[in-house]
Amino acid sequence: MTRSLVLILDFGSQYTQLIARRVREQHVYCEIHPCTLSIDTIRAMKPGAVILSGGPASVFEEGAPTVDRGVFELGVPVLGICYGMQLTSHLLGGKVEPAGEREYGPATIEIHEARGILAGFSKGERVEVWASHGDRVVSLPPGFSPIASSPNAPFAASASHERKIYGVQFHPEVVHTPRGAEMLRAFLFEVSGLAADWTPGSFIEETVAKIRAQVGDGHAICGLSGGVDSSVAAVLVARAIGEKLTCIFVDNGLLRKNEAVEVVKMFAEHVSVSGKQLRLVHVDASERFLSELAGVSDPEQKRKIIGRVFIEVFDAEAKKIEASGVEVTHLVQGTLYPDVIESVSFKGPSATIKTHHNVGGLPARMKLKLVEPLRELFKDEVREVGASLGMPHHVLWRHPFPGPGLAIRCLGEITKQKLDVLREADAIFLEELRSAGATYPAQYELTWQAFAVILPVQSVGVMGDGRTYENVCAIRAVTSKDGMTADWSRLPYDLLAKVSTRIINEVRGINRVVYDISSKPPATIEWE
């Protein structure tokens, strides 16, 4: 099947992923790519529409990011947002200058022409928007007309209705532009005539066909962690190739308390495809991983080591399967779109925030070919796909757990003793979060992710009239929709107090608990 595609060209905006979220919410498929994409590649993708993101640069600066002018000759609608609008004007014959007064935050625009992306509004209507720019368009290109203005931006929105090229000097993708979704809907459906054909059912049908073609006569193994992503990936691949898939659950010694037993039991009792259990192999490689990680403190080095050892374990298991006369050709991973976006950004390798285990933590040379059926999806979309596959609710709503596991929650050097302390603290936090449901309904599910972290810091305490000098434990809980941005959870004080009291009383080695109230950005969800 052929689906609608919106191509989002990224110029480095902190909001680019939100554009994708807003488009996907309309059941229209989109992809984010760097603005440096060649025009030949863009043509080959056959987009139904193009969106140019915002960005921190000024179009008249030396080395400012740009795009091939051929984008405007594709014959498909184009929407420029903030920097994207300025660049459109700059390339097509308009003029951009530094604004006399910069606009950052709330602004009000007045609608001059209720057409195109503003078709759902009324002429003369005043609309609240969110601005974030230091430059402004002062002269429009030939054939363009102003369709909205603000006190500081005479061309707050512009249009060439004939060419279906639009620009807005604000951010319709953020929640602070209350009616921004209406503008994006008008661009997608009224202007571009796209179909809302991006649904879990269509994704499953298309992906199953792709997997069958990709794996062919080979055999695949799946690195199964028991988390939402790898679980849905396993069921999706099993639907495509059946018994040609073997799931391998590796206990790397970096799992949560009782995780290995619970995962094996969960898949034996609750996860199946067409009434058949998935073929699952449980490998205990904990000593090997901890040996390789001994003495390592740098988080990037931890991730690289874990990625390498995982592949070595998978290769060894593949050889065992091949001993029975089956050729193992592919490795299945639950890589998601945020992993891809964060690891490969327009800004280049120097701006990489952290290497993701599924994306950048793998060796450059690998015997097995990767199958990543969820690579295009955000977390909430993965859960929708899992539900359409008939997977149980409690499996789909487990909190995310990072590929490197507790290695990036045990700051500094990793030891078994520190990991055991961390497991106990983490288990108490999650237990209390779940049991809080009687007083605070769905507290666990309202929280995107919750966990404990052992800090490389010790503090003085008093226990039983005696002095202690022990570890500090940080607990973190965030709310999010896709993991790209997150806010710290406003958990009830009495819940936090109970968690702190239990950890300090029950976990030897911790005498202080702190609560992380950092949002993403500027922090990341994980500490490393």
Side-chain angles (χ1 to χ4, degrees), residues 52-55 80-87 132-133 168-171:
L52 310 180
S53 84
I81 296 176
C82 206
Y83 181 86
M85 175 188 180
Q86 296 164 10
L87 184 63
S132 179
H133 61 94
V168 292
Q169 192 59 81
F170 52 87
H171 290 276

Side-chain angles (χ1 to χ4, degrees), residues 221-234:
I221 58 175
C222 175
L224 186 68
S225 69
V228 178
D229 309 332
S230 65
S231 299
V232 174

Side-chain angles (χ1 to χ4, degrees), residues 105-426:
T108 302
I109 64 169
E110 181 179 343
I111 308 298
H112 298 313
E113 194 175 349
R115 290 178 59 192
I117 61 173
L118 300 180
F121 297 79
S122 303
K123 184 176 180 180
E125 186 175 358
R126 296 172 67 81
V127 180
E128 297 301 312
V129 300
W130 185 263
S132 179
H133 61 94
D135 299 338
R136 66 178 183 178
V137 177
V138 296
S139 176
L140 292 174
F144 282 74
S145 59
I147 57 175
S149 65
S150 73
N152 193 43
F155 307 120
S158 64
S160 172
H161 296 296
E162 182 180 349
R163 299 176 66 183
K164 296 186 177 181
I165 302 176
Y166 295 84
V168 292
Q169 192 59 81
F170 52 87
H171 290 276
E173 70 273 23
V174 302
V175 295
H176 306 296
T177 301
R179 298 184 66 185
E182 295 177 47
M183 302 174 194
L184 291 173
R185 275 198 299 270
F187 176 71
L188 296 172
F189 302 123
E190 302 299 325
V191 174
S192 306
L194 301 176
D197 54 7
W198 175 245
T199 63
S202 65
F203 172 81
I204 291 169
E205 179 184 350
E206 181 181 353
T207 304
V208 164
K210 281 184 179 177
I211 294 168
R212 284 175 181 157
Q214 184 178 1
V215 177
D217 295 328
H219 192 101
I221 58 175
C222 175
L224 186 68
S225 69
V228 178
D229 309 332
S230 65
S231 299
V232 174
V235 171
L236 192 56
V237 174
R239 175 171 286 201
I241 63 174
E243 294 185 356
K244 292 195 294 181
L245 171 69
T246 299
C247 296
I248 299 176
F249 172 65
V250 178
D251 182 350
N252 60 2
L254 303 167
L255 302 177
R256 289 170 289 200
K257 185 178 180 180
N258 298 326
E259 184 95 1
V261 174
E262 291 174 1
V263 169
V264 173
K265 181 180 179 182
M266 179 177 71
F267 273 82
E269 298 179 357
H270 301 292
V271 180
S272 63
V273 177
S274 301
K276 294 183 178 180
Q277 291 183 0
L278 277 67
R279 183 179 296 172
L280 178 62
V281 175
H282 177 198
V283 180
D284 185 353
S286 54
E287 290 187 8
R288 178 173 179 181
F289 276 87
L290 295 184
S291 174
E292 294 271 2
L293 290 166
V296 177
S297 298
D298 178 71
E300 280 294 286
Q301 192 177 355
K302 289 179 186 177
R303 290 174 181 271
K304 295 289 186 182
I305 290 171
I306 293 167
R308 172 179 58 78
V309 178
F310 260 122
I311 294 302
E312 290 172 357
V313 172
F314 291 145
D315 278 341
E317 292 303 313
K319 289 178 181 176
K320 294 178 184 178
I321 296 172
E322 289 177 334
S324 64
V326 174
E327 182 184 7
V328 178
T329 55
H330 291 79
L331 170 65
V332 180
Q333 287 200 144
T335 306
L336 300 192
Y337 205 28
D339 299 338
V340 179
I341 294 171
E342 283 196 353
S343 292
V344 187
S345 70
F346 156 69
K347 303 175 190 66
S350 62
T352 297
I353 298 168
K354 59 187 178 183
T355 299
H356 277 270
H357 172 66
N358 282 5
V359 180
L362 301 179
R365 305 180 101 185
M366 224 171 41
K367 173 190 172 185
L368 304 177
K369 298 175 183 176
L370 283 180
V371 178
E372 297 175 307
L374 308 178
R375 191 180 175 90
E376 303 168 338
L377 302 186
F378 291 96
K379 179 76 74 173
D380 57 321
E381 294 170 329
V382 172
R383 289 189 168 118
E384 290 179 15
V385 168
S388 295
L389 289 167
M391 296 179 65
H393 181 85
H394 71 276
V395 174
L396 297 177
W397 284 92
R398 298 186 83 205
H399 282 185
F401 188 62
L406 299 182
I408 56 174
R409 296 176 182 174
C410 183
L411 275 57
E413 183 180 354
I414 298 169
T415 66
K416 186 177 185 302
Q417 186 271 333
K418 287 170 66 176
L419 288 170
D420 288 341
V421 169
L422 177 55
R423 284 191 186 93
E424 294 299 325
D426 186 74

